[in-house]
Every structure is written in structure tokens, then in C-alpha cells.
């Protein structure tokens, strides 16, 4: 299962145009996408957050590792579901399309691949903080998926890409910052 996840992540990051065309032809039943891609990926991200704190700090602090993994889990899940929901609403109101939550979840999940990969690397090797700039590449990933996967018209491609990228990139960060501010027990 993780082999397929990494294969799709690498394909989306390295060759988004070809990957989106393949994903558009891929049939997924029910919640298969969630159980075979998003949930394991967020679980792995949470595990990496836990291990990253344990092995990158001078002191061995399990409490700190648990706080980090909780913050990561809530930010990733909350960001994914909130971005999917808001994209679905924008999809309906702004682009006059029929609501399709499954499609929006899949698009947000696959488009978040780069962010998940960068987060994992930064949790294990925090000295590579400069990799955060590559999150901007998410715009290109969304841009390439707008037409073949979401069936957006060319005239709306820029607007859709900007809105979707903002939702995908900013919502997990906003949730993480909010957790940090509201819950002093999660500060580390």
C-alpha cells in the first residue's frame, strides 16, 4: 500500500501533467481513496512527526513528541477536510458545477502530496527549512490538474488554480497556528 502511495506522490510531484491524466482514468469506489491514500499518508506524517521530535532534539522527550504528532494530525486532517469542503462550495457557487465532494477530496489529497513530502523531510531534518519555498510548486500541480482532472475550462484555470492552491496550502498552516495559540499544552 505505501509503495503505491509513494509511487503516486512521486508521479504527481515529478510529472504532474501525466499523473493527472492517469488519475482521471483511475476508477476508485466509495471511500477507497481515503482508506488507500489519505489516511495512511496522514498516519505516516503523524508517525514521522513523533519520531522527528524524538530523534532531532537533544533531550528524549516523549511528551513533546506526542504534542508534535497531535498538532500534525489535527492540522493535516483538518486542513484536508476543510480545504475539500471549501473547494466543493467554491466549485458549486463560483464555477457553477454540481457539488462532488469525492472529486474535491481526491483533488485536494493528490495536490497535497508535495506538502506532505516536504513536511516529512522537515520533521526529520529541520535544518532544511529552506525547502518550505518549494510549497509554491503546489500551484503548478493544481494548474496541471485543473483541466484533465477537474474539467475546468481554460478561461477559469487561473482563478481555480489560485483559489485551490490557497485553500490547500494555507488551511493546514492556519489550523496549526490556531492550535498553537489556543492550546498552550501543544506548544513545543
Amino acid at each position: 500500500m505505501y509503495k503505491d502511495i509513494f509511487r503516486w506522490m512521486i508521479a504527481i510531484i515529478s510529472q504532474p501533467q501525466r499523473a493527472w491524466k492517469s488519475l482521471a482514468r483511475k476508477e476508485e469506489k466509495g471511500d477507497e481513496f481515503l482508506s488507500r491514500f489519505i489516511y495512511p499518508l496522514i498516519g505516516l506524517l503523524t508517525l514521522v512527526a513523533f519520531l522527528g521530535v524524538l530523534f532531532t532534539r537533544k533531550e528524549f522527550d516523549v511528551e513533546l513528541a506526542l504534542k508534535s504528532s497531535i498538532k500534525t494530525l489535527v492540522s493535516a486532517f483538518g486542513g484536508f477536510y476543510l480545504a475539500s469542503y471549501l473547494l466543493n462550495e467554491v466549485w458549486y457557487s463560483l464555477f457553477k458545477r454540481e457539488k462532488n465532494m469525492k472529486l474535491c477530496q481526491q483533488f485536494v489529497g493528490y495536490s497535497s502530496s508535495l506538502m506532505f513530502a516536504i513536511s516529512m523531510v522537515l520533521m526529520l531534518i529541520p535544518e532544511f527549512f529552506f525547502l518550505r519555498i518549494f510549497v509554491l510548486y503546489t500551484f503548478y500541480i493544481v494548474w496541471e490538474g485543473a483541466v484533465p482532472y477537474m474539467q475546468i475550462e481554460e478561461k477559469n484555470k487561473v482563478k481555480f488554480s489560485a483559489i485551490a492552491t490557497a485553500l490547500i496550502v494555507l488551511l493546514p498552516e492556519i489550523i496549526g497556528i490556531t492550535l498553537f495559540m489556543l492550546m498552550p499544552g501543544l506548544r513545543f
Side-chain angles (χ1 to χ4, degrees), residues 64-83:
L64 199 61
L66 284 172
K67 289 177 185 179
S68 173
S69 60
I70 289 169
K71 180 181 173 275
T72 301
L73 179 69
V74 172
S75 296
F77 263 117
F80 167 73
Y81 279 109
L82 191 56

Side-chain angles (χ1 to χ4, degrees), residues 30-181:
D31 289 337
E32 186 176 316
F33 165 75
L34 295 174
S35 62
R36 292 187 152 274
F37 189 80
I38 285 297
Y39 295 157
L41 191 56
I42 291 176
L44 182 63
L45 185 67
T46 304
L47 178 66
V48 169
F50 182 81
L51 296 175
V53 170
L54 284 182
F55 297 120
T56 59
R57 307 270 183 188
K58 291 181 182 175
E59 68 279 348
F60 190 81
D61 191 357
V62 176
E63 179 186 355
L64 199 61
L66 284 172
K67 289 177 185 179
S68 173
S69 60
I70 289 169
K71 180 181 173 275
T72 301
L73 179 69
V74 172
S75 296
F77 263 117
F80 167 73
Y81 279 109
L82 191 56
S84 299
Y85 174 76
L86 292 176
L87 185 63
N88 194 30
E89 293 300 317
V90 167
W91 178 251
Y92 174 73
S93 63
L94 205 58
F95 298 103
K96 307 299 183 220
R97 300 291 184 98
E98 187 176 322
K99 288 187 178 183
N100 188 344
M101 189 62 165
K102 299 276 186 226
L103 180 69
C104 290
Q105 283 180 338
Q106 291 171 358
F107 187 74
V108 168
Y110 288 127
S111 297
S112 300
S113 295
L114 176 65
M115 290 180 19
F116 289 142
I118 289 174
S119 294
M120 284 185 218
V121 170
L122 290 177
M123 287 175 199
L124 294 174
I125 312 169
E127 294 83 24
F128 287 0
F129 62 90
F130 59 88
L131 292 178
R132 284 218 169 266
I133 191 73
F134 291 110
V135 168
L136 297 175
Y137 182 71
T138 303
F139 181 82
Y140 180 69
I141 293 171
V142 170
W143 174 270
E144 288 296 333
V147 174
Y149 198 79
M150 296 297 282
Q151 308 299 315
I152 294 290
E153 299 89 19
E154 285 291 330
K155 66 180 181 176
N156 292 327
K157 193 174 179 181
V158 173
K159 184 176 11 174
F160 174 80
S161 297
I163 292 169
T165 302
L167 292 173
I168 292 167
V169 171
L170 295 178
L171 287 175
E173 292 298 321
I174 290 170
I175 291 171
I177 291 168
T178 305
L179 280 174
F180 184 79
M181 290 175 12

